[in-house]
Amino acid sequence: MGEQIRAVGLQVILEYVWQRVVANKRRGVRTWVWIDEFSIMFNDGAGRTTHKSGEFFSKVYKRIRKYGGVPTAMTQNITEVLESSQARTFMKLENKGLGTAATRASIINALFAREYIAKKGKTIYPTEKGIFLIDNLPVAELKNAELTGEWEKRLHNISDGKEEYQKLIQDIEQNVRSWYETIAHSNSNTYTSKADQLSCPICGAKVIKGKFGYFCSSKKEKGCNFSIPAEICGKKISDTQALKLIEKGKTTVIKGFKAKSGKEFDAALKLDKTTGKIEFEFPKKKK
């Protein structure tokens, strides 16, 4: 798209996305909107600021949240999207944005480990737990990229001999103490996942999620052996599939199971509520 009409084109696309969110809301469907390299909303491709598409993007982003949607945006060019001119200055550290590729990787891995984000195919999306955290965390600074930008700038100053390392550490420690007090005395809700409220379909006791899958908490007391392994026939069982199996007794067809022969096959998982065993249910072949 030519630079002269890029801003207009972006607004047209955003309007279409917004109308889809509205339509889904009417149908009772929650929309997840993924925007990659969203910095293009704020420039015309030649480094010139485009206020119109940027302003409209900000408005649509907020509207989506109000309509129960989940807008998610990523970019490495964070300098182009911060509204504060001071924050943009903080971020312009040799055009590297926030951190380095190495630090970004460790941060993303930590988000996966804590189950704040998940991956399906090539898509990364925020989990229910991650969305809850952002919505309920009472410390606004921890949800703002400007804070990271400020610390990056100060680290840059330290490397140039313009600031003392110990002063930065003292300020961070003071901030952490303040944030802890705010969080400890806040009235924010405590996150409870759907999995924490599940009952064993065999004996009715609480189901616990562990490292190796889901299992009944009354194994010792009642001898209940109900469990769902984290992996079946070489295929990892997702939380969504495990929840369906516990609540409904059956999953949808799961692709990619692997037999002992090495041959792959597709099947649904079905729970025998009498024995607690998990069985395969193969899709009917089309005639």
Side-chain angles (χ1 to χ4, degrees):
M1 184 178 291
E3 295 175 1
Q4 299 299 323
I5 61 171
R6 176 177 289 191
V8 176
L10 289 172
Q11 290 179 78
V12 172
I13 294 171
L14 286 170
E15 179 61 31
Y16 172 75
V17 170
W18 167 239
Q19 292 303 326
R20 284 289 300 273
V21 172
V22 173
N24 287 344
K25 171 76 171 178
R26 290 171 181 163
R27 294 191 298 119
V29 176
R30 193 177 189 187
T31 308
W32 175 45
V33 181
W34 171 266
I35 305 165
D36 192 18
E37 289 301 342
F38 72 107
S39 58
I40 62 172
M41 299 292 176
F42 298 84
N43 69 77
D44 63 3
R48 294 186 293 267
T49 302
T50 53
H51 293 290
K52 292 295 182 182
S53 60
E55 290 175 1
F56 191 58
F57 172 77
S58 298
K59 291 178 181 178
V60 170
Y61 200 87
K62 293 176 182 177
R63 289 179 192 169
I64 293 173
R65 292 293 299 274
K66 289 182 179 179
Y67 266 62
V70 184
T72 309
M74 290 187 71
T75 185
Q76 295 185 51
N77 302 315
I78 196 69
T79 56
E80 298 175 5
V81 299
L82 290 172
E83 297 178 355
S84 168
S85 60
Q86 184 181 25
R88 287 199 298 271
T89 301
F90 289 152
M91 295 297 181
K92 290 181 179 177
L93 306 176
E94 301 175 3
N95 297 319
K96 290 182 181 176
L98 289 178
T100 64
T103 56
R104 282 194 295 272
S106 63
I107 291 170
I108 291 173
N109 287 336
L111 294 174
F112 275 118
R114 293 167 185 168
E115 299 181 340
Y116 294 145
I117 59 176
K119 188 175 183 180
K120 186 175 183 180
K122 295 182 179 180
T123 303
I124 297 174
Y125 62 93
T127 62
E128 176 189 325
K129 184 177 181 181
I131 295 170
F132 178 90
L133 176 66
I134 294 300
D135 287 342
N136 291 274
L137 186 65
V139 182
E141 297 100 307
L142 292 177
K143 299 184 283 186
N144 195 328
E146 291 187 21
L147 174 66
T148 306
E150 181 180 351
W151 286 356
E152 289 277 5
K153 176 62 176 176
R154 293 183 67 179
L155 287 172
H156 190 65
N157 288 341
I158 291 169
S159 67
D160 288 343
K162 298 177 181 178
E163 185 173 350
E164 291 295 325
Y165 170 77
Q166 196 57 40
K167 179 65 171 68
L168 173 61
I169 296 301
Q170 289 173 356
D171 289 346
I172 291 176
E173 289 178 348
Q174 184 177 346
N175 284 336
V176 171
R177 290 192 189 96
S178 174
W179 296 333
Y180 173 80
E181 289 297 320
T182 300
I183 295 171
H185 296 91
S186 71
N187 295 319
S188 298
N189 298 322
T190 302
Y191 175 73
T192 304
S193 69
K194 196 173 183 181
D196 294 331
Q197 304 172 29
L198 292 173
S199 298
C200 175
I202 307 302
C203 71
K206 185 178 180 181
V207 171
I208 299 174
K209 181 185 177 183
K211 183 178 180 180
F212 301 104
Y214 290 87
F215 62 93
C216 180
S217 62
S218 69
K219 184 174 182 178
K220 291 183 179 180
E221 291 80 3
K222 300 180 181 179
C224 181
N225 292 317
F226 170 75
S227 66
I228 302 175
E231 187 175 298
I232 298 176
C233 289
K235 180 71 176 180
K236 288 185 177 180
I237 306 304
S238 70
D239 288 343
T240 300
Q241 292 159 350
L243 293 177
K244 283 184 179 179
L245 192 57
I246 293 171
E247 293 183 322
K248 300 180 179 180
K250 182 181 175 182
T251 69
T252 53
V253 173
I254 301 172
K255 296 182 178 181
F257 288 112
K258 190 171 288 187
K260 291 182 179 179
S261 63
K263 185 178 179 180
E264 289 192 354
F265 64 93
D266 305 335
L269 296 177
K270 187 177 180 181
L271 175 66
D272 185 329
K273 293 190 176 181
T274 302
T275 63
K277 292 183 178 180
I278 298 172
E279 303 169 342
F280 290 115
E281 184 174 279
F282 297 95
K284 295 179 179 179
K285 295 183 179 180
K286 295 181 180 179
K287 296 181 179 179

